[in-house]
């Protein structure tokens, strides 16, 4: 009977240890899932890297702005490839031809999010993940004036020259 009791205690201890291990494994699995979501959300955010600070007021959705822009495709390793679209003569445009835009109107989500973190006169790199760019839709045509393959992360080299108009 004592052997039976020791055996039962041993089985209970073993089961208790198994439940504790199972609980620990579940906690670790939840932690891994949480961390994976954090990494995905960080990877999905627009990043603005200032090249030269602006001295003007912050960009808002209430105005149109003039800008110089060069668009690159950003590779996973951080290298960039020209898309073929630029408003700067120094980056391949026939002449300097500023681009007019109004945040929130007819723009990709990543552009609007990025420029709203900038000020007039500022030049910055906007790192735009595919989901906030053109997603699964290619733009332009291979061999054409410009081409952005589907699912491309984008890198805009943008300088906000100033306002074009008052509130619209």
């Amino acid at each position: 009977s004592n052997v039976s009791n020791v055996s039962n205690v041993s089985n209970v201890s073993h089961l208790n240890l198994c439940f504790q291990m199972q609980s620990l494994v579940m906690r670790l699995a939840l932690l891994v899932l949480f961390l994976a979501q954090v990494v995905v959300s960080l990877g999905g955010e627009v990043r603005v890297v200032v090249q030269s600070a602006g001295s003007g007021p912050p960009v808002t959705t209430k105005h149109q702005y003039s800008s110089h822009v060069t668009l690159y495709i950003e590779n996973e390793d951080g290298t960039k490839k020209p898309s073929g679209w630029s408003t700067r003569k120094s980056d391949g445009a026939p002449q300097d031809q500023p681009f007019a835009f109004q945040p929130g109107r007819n723009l990709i989500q990543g552009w609007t999010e990025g420029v709203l973190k900038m000020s007039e006169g500022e030049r910055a790199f906007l790192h735009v993940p595919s989901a906030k760019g053109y997603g699964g839709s290619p733009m332009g045509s291979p061999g054409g004036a410009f081409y952005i393959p589907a699912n491309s992360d984008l890198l805009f080299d943008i300088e906000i020259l100033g306002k074009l108009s008052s509130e619209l």
Side-chain angles (χ1 to χ4, degrees):
S1 151
N2 280 347
V3 172
S4 170
N5 286 341
V6 169
S7 178
N8 286 340
V9 168
S10 177
N11 285 342
V12 169
S13 294
H14 180 71
L15 284 174
N16 192 21
L17 181 61
C18 285
F19 285 126
Q20 287 176 354
M21 290 297 290
Q22 188 177 21
S23 176
L24 179 62
V25 168
M26 290 299 291
R27 287 184 191 152
L28 285 173
L30 289 173
L31 178 62
V32 167
L33 286 173
F34 171 76
L35 291 175
Q37 287 179 327
V38 168
V39 168
V40 167
S41 70
L42 289 176
E45 293 303 311
V46 174
R47 290 186 303 118
V48 178
V49 179
V50 176
Q51 297 180 66
S52 57
S55 57
V59 172
T60 72
T61 59
K62 295 180 180 181
H63 302 280
Q64 284 189 325
Y65 295 88
S66 177
S67 63
H68 274 306
V69 187
T70 302
L71 173 59
Y72 299 93
I73 307 305
E74 188 166 33
N75 300 313
E76 286 185 26
D77 65 2
T79 59
K80 62 186 181 185
K81 178 177 120 182
S83 71
W85 183 65
S86 181
T87 66
R88 295 182 180 97
K89 186 174 182 178
S90 62
D91 287 336
Q95 62 188 20
D96 282 342
Q97 178 105 22
F99 176 72
F101 71 93
Q102 183 168 357
R105 294 203 180 174
N106 302 316
L107 297 168
I108 59 171
Q109 180 184 355
W111 175 295
T112 294
E113 286 182 22
V115 297
L116 289 175
K117 297 175 183 177
M118 296 177 68
S119 297
E120 290 181 42
E122 185 173 312
R123 185 170 181 173
F125 286 122
L126 302 184
H127 299 266
V128 178
S130 172
K132 292 187 178 183
Y134 298 106
S137 303
M139 298 300 289
S141 58
F146 77 98
Y147 180 60
I148 303 165
N151 302 309
S152 292
D153 291 335
L154 308 175
L155 175 65
F156 291 94
D157 175 354
I158 181 168
E159 180 180 9
I160 308 294
L161 302 174
K163 283 185 194 76
L164 283 178
S165 66
S166 299
E167 288 190 30
L168 293 178

